[in-house]
Amino acid sequence: KMEQLQTEQQKKLEQVYRKKVLEQRLNRRIFCSRYRYGNKDYYINEWVLPQIDKFKKIINKVGLDKLENKSILELSSESGHISTFIYNNFTTKMVIASDIADSLREAIPHVSSWLGFNKYPKIVILDNYYLPFKDDSFDFVFGVSILHHFPNPYPIIKEVRRVVKKNGIVVFLAEPFLPSYLLFLELFYSVFDKKQGICEKVFSLKEWLNCMR
């Protein structure tokens, strides 16, 4: 498989972009930093809780016991709300919320408090291409809407396979795929890439399946 990677410039711009998007969601105002963590109701009700609900539905299918007494890693956590939910609702060995942007460190205490929790998981700032963990470190690895931020998801999946234990579980949620009749979306994202300087892709179902083999 061709292992096309993000450029270093794309990584830097991804950090900036993720921080700005987080600010936008926290404020419901485009890239505004004033009263940065003041829009609690909107962010929690319109973004955080719906994502947690979707995650719970997926986990219900594989069994909630899969999280008990397990080591868990979330990739590209943004504000860490799902990791925080897990950390406060399950008895786990370890929960790590990770992201390439250090804005996670600032956001997660606020979001944890808004959810009514007084503790939150360990925070690790990392590059998904090079996870700083030993082989077979985690029982459960997941990410929400992250793989299409890379030119090719295969190198990320390959690295996740390295750190997940045998018989461990890997879940990627909310990833778009591209039916042939929606090819115009690829053009849209190509324009978006150039404008933002980051990577934003839509892959066909065949491409997704090839990456999973």
Side-chain angles (χ1 to χ4, degrees):
K1 298 179 177 68
M2 179 185 294
E3 297 192 15
Q4 183 182 4
L5 307 179
Q6 279 181 324
T7 65
E8 290 303 313
Q9 179 67 6
Q10 284 176 327
K11 290 179 183 179
K12 291 177 182 178
L13 291 171
E14 181 79 19
Q15 290 174 304
V16 173
Y17 179 72
R18 290 179 69 78
K19 183 176 181 179
K20 287 182 176 180
V21 167
L22 182 56
E23 289 179 1
Q24 181 182 16
R25 286 174 178 156
L26 289 168
N27 288 280
R28 197 168 38 167
R29 295 169 65 184
I30 295 178
F31 302 165
C32 175
S33 60
R34 190 181 181 194
Y35 307 120
R36 189 167 173 186
Y37 294 100
N39 216 326
K40 169 183 172 181
D41 292 340
Y42 170 77
Y43 187 62
I44 294 298
N45 294 324
E46 300 298 325
W47 184 256
V48 171
L49 292 180
Q51 278 205 347
I52 290 176
D53 285 342
K54 289 178 183 178
F55 179 79
K56 286 163 64 177
K57 289 177 182 178
I58 295 294
I59 297 306
N60 278 329
K61 292 182 179 180
V62 300
L64 291 173
D65 60 304
K66 303 298 184 183
L67 299 182
E68 293 288 347
N69 300 309
K70 297 297 192 294
S71 299
I72 299 167
L73 170 65
E74 180 181 13
L75 300 175
S76 301
S77 306
E78 191 176 277
S79 67
H81 46 277
I82 296 181
S83 292
T84 297
F85 167 79
I86 294 172
Y87 189 66
N88 285 277
N89 284 278
F90 296 90
T91 302
T92 57
K93 289 182 180 178
M94 173 177 60
V95 181
I96 293 177
S98 70
D99 205 286
I100 194 171
D102 62 7
S103 51
L104 173 64
R105 296 188 191 278
E106 186 179 357
I108 198 169
H110 293 275
V111 175
S112 298
S113 175
W114 290 353
L115 289 171
F117 302 130
N118 58 12
K119 58 181 183 178
Y120 48 86
K122 181 179 180 180
I123 299 168
V124 177
I125 306 304
L126 53 73
D127 184 337
N128 286 335
Y129 285 128
Y130 310 103
L131 300 179
F133 309 110
K134 296 179 180 179
D135 295 0
D136 308 314
S137 292
F138 298 97
D139 301 286
F140 187 87
V141 180
F142 74 98
V144 179
S145 192
I146 69 168
L147 291 176
H148 64 280
H149 287 267
F150 298 90
N152 183 348
Y154 177 71
I156 310 301
I157 295 171
K158 182 180 177 181
E159 184 69 348
V160 167
R161 283 174 171 166
R162 180 184 67 77
V163 301
V164 75
K165 296 178 182 178
K166 183 178 181 181
N167 299 322
I169 296 175
V170 177
V171 175
F172 289 109
L173 305 176
E175 296 292 351
F177 71 93
L178 188 66
S180 58
Y181 61 85
L182 291 179
L183 287 173
F184 70 89
L185 281 177
E186 183 66 15
L187 176 61
F188 168 79
Y189 278 115
S190 294
V191 173
F192 184 83
D193 284 355
K194 293 176 182 178
K195 184 176 180 180
Q196 300 293 331
I198 64 172
C199 183
E200 188 89 8
K201 300 289 287 184
V202 182
F203 301 102
S204 68
L205 182 58
K206 182 178 179 180
E207 286 174 312
W208 283 121
L209 293 175
N210 285 339
C211 288
M212 300 299 172
R213 291 175 180 170

